[in-house]
Amino acid sequence: MPAHAEPPRGRIEGPWSSRLRVGAPGASVDLGDFDTGATPGVLDKDDGEASFRGTGKSLARLQEQLFAASTVSGGATARSVLLVLQGMDTSGKGGVVKKVAGSVDPQGVWHHAFKAPTEEERAHPFLWRVERQLPAPGQIGVWDRSHYEDVLVPRVRGTLSTAAIDDRYATINAFERQLVEAGTTIVKVFLHLGYEEQRKRLLRRLDRADKHWKFSPGDVDDRAHWPAFQEAYEAALSATNTEPAPWFVVPADHKWFSALAVQQLLEEALTGLQLRWPTASFDVERERERLLAT
Amino acid sequence: MPAHAEPPRGRIEGPWSSRLRVGAPGASVDLGDFDTGATPGVLDKDDGEASFRGTGKSLARLQEQLFAASTVSGGATARSVLLVLQGMDTSGKGGVVKKVAGSVDPQGVWHHAFKAPTEEERAHPFLWRVERQLPAPGQIGVWDRSHYEDVLVPRVRGTLSTAAIDDRYATINAFERQLVEAGTTIVKVFLHLGYEEQRKRLLRRLDRADKHWKFSPGDVDDRAHWPAFQEAYEAALSATNTEPAPWFVVPADHKWFSALAVQQLLEEALTGLQLRWPTASFDVERERERLLAT
């Protein structure tokens, strides 16, 4: 169907998306403007957890509708949703995945955690490995890290020129715009963690023998690069906060809040698809009679 | 490590596995011996649901330990678990996946639902497509249908000779034995549904407009093949109930029971791995000091 016949759907609208949107497309982002300990729109933890439970069922139903739409032949109505999670170590990406994806049918979720690129991945254009992990129609894709690592890390480590990184921003924007035009709603979330809170979380990993496996001495070394990473995030968010694929900044010092916020963003994204149950392609009464005769 | 140095672990032992095991390896299976409405070992639904909740946390912890073990360099301790779910239409395979996989971290679960083979898949040996969906070390693989479709369907449809199907049984047994020797614990579950209960479930899909998408007129046609499928299951279970990869028959007329039974089988399988948290490969006190200095 040509783009002009049906405008790209998948607009993310609602109180949570307007509250958490990083700003207008093209505007310069200053992370200092965002409080990592904020819990906007929620009274307290109890209130937040009650909202989370309340939305769980609605999200599960929306996910089932998304999946159901993809089973209809033709697939003109087949949409998908892609959640892109970025954030510093211990910002809670894994926990958000566990809580939010855990409230919907795991069969409808395509999850991938991107690690440091392998030799094979480095031999390809940087989008190659993420294109292989795109959600199928009907699925919710959940990416724990993403193609944004390929602009953040080179900037901090100085392994790519500014011009090369600018090229990558443009490539990312074109890639995401095409995805959206093809029917994918992209929800890009930066889990915004405080420097002090990260120290607490790393200390907790050292305190508990059952969390030692999650700790690496490199995590402490990386803290020296904290300001450079914040600056790289500001540059990436400024350059790639587009109309079709906007960025959301989710305060991440409170884990219950970041889980709730991502859940609500996903719910608003799915609601924006205006999903309906597919209508039966068979005669319901006739099938009932046939079935009763067995 | 040679097999004689460390005997293959991954024995599934406990009250649930002994209760649900189809029988001794090599013995002939008669599904008429198994009541599809039974709820062995559980008082009632409330009791069953309480057990399910109680085991959820333990299973989540075991899954985290399984995953943690795979992150240790060397990987000598890296194990995986593979849950193979088979059963007639509406036997609740999807529901079991949703409930059981939903109680552990989705990141540690590798789920795949096998459909009718595609042209590309049919051009390869029948195990080709399942080998591509094996869980990585540290993962719990969950297969909704499996390589068993490739012995069940040809037998019912008469598209392969008895000798060719016997060959496939032997291939399957060799394949599964190798998997177990390489460190995968295989939990094979037949969700045993009653003929009357299937009719009720199909009728329910017709009664609800939001379930029509799950219904296909072919489901009614397939009921004519019910006895042939039961017979094909008996043959397959008899031929592939091996010591390293035994079959379990889970009564499936009560959805709460089948979810509980599969959860308990998985828990016994994971407990059999005798998992421990990896020990820290760094000096915990030194890292704490470094961290406090940041």
Side-chain angles (χ1 to χ4, degrees):
Chain A
M1 192 173 291
H4 62 266
E6 186 186 356
R9 270 186 282 169
R11 208 59 60 83
I12 314 169
E13 272 167 18
W16 284 85
S17 38
S18 46
R19 194 180 288 143
L20 299 170
R21 206 173 289 252
V22 70
S28 178
V29 174
D30 178 350
L31 286 175
D33 295 341
F34 299 87
D35 177 2
T36 60
T39 60
V42 194
L43 213 59
D44 55 21
K45 189 177 176 182
D46 285 349
D47 180 34
E49 291 181 340
S51 296
F52 188 88
R53 281 191 301 275
T55 305
K57 284 209 168 182
S58 149
L59 190 63
R61 190 179 163 87
L62 285 163
Q63 179 271 320
E64 194 181 341
Q65 283 186 315
L66 179 70
F67 183 78
S70 75
T71 65
V72 179
S73 61
T77 53
R79 305 282 165 166
S80 62
V81 172
L82 174 60
L83 173 66
V84 173
L85 284 174
Q86 285 288 154
M88 300 296 285
D89 275 339
T90 78
S91 60
K93 297 182 293 295
V96 164
V97 172
K98 185 170 176 176
K99 282 182 215 156
V100 178
S103 66
V104 304
D105 192 341
Q107 296 162 92
V109 175
W110 182 261
H111 169 270
H112 192 77
F114 292 94
K115 309 293 177 192
T118 63
E119 200 174 331
E120 188 192 16
E121 287 168 352
R122 274 184 282 114
H124 288 85
F126 77 102
L127 289 180
W128 179 76
R129 66 173 189 159
V130 297
E131 282 168 340
R132 292 154 60 100
Q133 301 293 344
L134 285 169
Q139 285 185 328
I140 299 177
V142 176
W143 287 355
D144 177 340
R145 304 190 190 270
S146 67
H147 45 302
Y148 284 97
E149 293 296 314
D150 300 303
V151 287
L152 296 163
V153 177
R155 188 176 175 116
V156 171
R157 310 268 181 234
T159 51
L160 278 183
S161 70
T162 309
I165 292 175
D166 284 346
D167 263 1
R168 288 196 170 184
Y169 294 147
T171 304
I172 287 174
N173 287 343
F175 164 66
E176 294 180 353
R177 190 182 62 245
Q178 285 159 23
L179 277 183
V180 171
E181 281 168 4
T184 301
T185 303
I186 308 180
V187 184
K188 300 192 290 191
V189 170
F190 171 58
L191 292 175
H192 188 26
L193 181 73
Y195 184 69
E196 292 307 312
E197 179 63 22
Q198 191 196 48
R199 188 197 346 245
K200 278 186 210 161
R201 292 185 185 181
L202 288 173
L203 280 172
R204 226 170 291 148
R205 289 185 180 175
L206 289 174
D207 288 341
R208 292 179 50 176
D210 62 345
K211 297 293 175 201
H212 285 169
W213 68 277
K214 289 189 168 187
F215 183 91
S216 140
D219 298 343
V220 184
D221 305 334
D222 279 350
R223 279 173 65 79
H225 302 292
W226 184 277
F229 265 106
Q230 297 292 304
E231 190 275 333
Y233 266 112
E234 287 174 340
L237 267 59
S238 302
T240 61
N241 180 43
T242 60
E243 177 64 32
W247 271 104
F248 300 96
V249 175
V250 169
D253 283 359
H254 299 286
K255 289 181 178 180
W256 62 265
F257 180 80
S258 41
L260 173 66
V262 173
Q263 184 203 47
Q264 301 291 331
L265 289 172
L266 270 184
E267 203 221 8
E268 290 181 4
L270 281 156
T271 302
L273 296 177
Q274 302 177 7
L275 298 160
R276 273 176 294 274
W277 294 110
T279 50
S281 56
F282 48 85
D283 181 336
V284 175
E285 277 320 304
R286 175 151 187 277
E287 291 305 316
R288 197 190 313 272
E289 279 162 30
R290 287 180 65 218
L291 191 51
L292 288 170
T294 62
Chain B
M1 194 172 292
H4 62 266
E6 187 186 355
R9 269 186 284 169
R11 207 59 60 83
I12 314 169
E13 272 165 16
W16 285 85
S17 38
S18 44
R19 193 181 289 142
L20 299 169
R21 205 173 289 250
V22 69
S28 179
V29 174
D30 179 352
L31 286 175
D33 296 341
F34 299 87
D35 178 3
T36 59
T39 60
V42 194
L43 214 57
D44 56 21
K45 189 176 175 181
D46 284 349
D47 179 34
E49 291 180 341
S51 295
F52 189 87
R53 282 192 300 276
T55 305
K57 284 210 166 180
S58 149
L59 190 63
R61 190 178 163 87
L62 285 163
Q63 179 272 321
E64 194 180 342
Q65 283 186 314
L66 179 71
F67 182 79
S70 76
T71 64
V72 179
S73 62
T77 53
R79 306 282 165 164
S80 61
V81 172
L82 174 61
L83 173 65
V84 173
L85 284 173
Q86 285 287 156
M88 301 295 286
D89 275 341
T90 77
S91 60
K93 298 182 291 296
V96 164
V97 172
K98 186 170 175 175
K99 282 181 214 155
V100 177
S103 66
V104 304
D105 191 342
Q107 297 162 92
V109 175
W110 182 260
H111 170 270
H112 192 77
F114 291 94
K115 309 291 178 195
T118 62
E119 201 174 330
E120 187 192 19
E121 287 168 352
R122 276 185 281 112
H124 287 85
F126 76 101
L127 289 180
W128 179 75
R129 68 174 188 157
V130 297
E131 282 168 339
R132 292 154 59 99
Q133 301 294 342
L134 284 168
Q139 285 184 326
I140 298 177
V142 176
W143 287 355
D144 178 341
R145 304 190 190 270
S146 66
H147 44 303
Y148 284 98
E149 294 295 312
D150 300 302
V151 287
L152 295 163
V153 177
R155 188 175 174 116
V156 171
R157 310 268 182 233
T159 51
L160 276 185
S161 70
T162 309
I165 293 174
D166 284 345
D167 263 1
R168 287 196 172 183
Y169 293 147
T171 304
I172 287 174
N173 287 343
F175 165 65
E176 293 180 351
R177 191 183 59 244
Q178 285 160 23
L179 278 183
V180 171
E181 280 168 5
T184 302
T185 303
I186 308 179
V187 185
K188 300 192 291 191
V189 170
F190 172 58
L191 292 174
H192 189 26
L193 181 72
Y195 185 69
E196 292 308 311
E197 179 63 21
Q198 192 197 46
R199 190 198 344 247
K200 279 186 209 160
R201 291 187 185 179
L202 288 172
L203 280 172
R204 224 170 293 147
R205 288 187 181 174
L206 288 174
D207 288 342
R208 292 179 51 175
D210 61 346
K211 297 295 175 200
H212 285 168
W213 68 276
K214 289 189 167 186
F215 184 91
S216 140
D219 297 343
V220 184
D221 306 333
D222 279 349
R223 278 173 67 78
H225 301 293
W226 185 277
F229 265 106
Q230 298 292 304
E231 190 276 333
Y233 266 111
E234 286 174 340
L237 267 59
S238 301
T240 61
N241 180 43
T242 59
E243 178 62 32
W247 272 103
F248 300 96
V249 174
V250 169
D253 283 359
H254 298 286
K255 289 181 177 179
W256 62 265
F257 180 80
S258 41
L260 173 67
V262 173
Q263 183 203 49
Q264 300 291 330
L265 289 172
L266 270 184
E267 203 221 10
E268 290 181 4
L270 282 156
T271 302
L273 296 177
Q274 302 177 8
L275 298 159
R276 275 177 292 276
W277 295 109
T279 49
S281 57
F282 48 84
D283 180 335
V284 175
E285 277 319 306
R286 175 150 187 277
E287 292 305 317
R288 196 189 315 270
E289 279 162 30
R290 288 180 64 218
L291 191 51
L292 288 169
T294 63

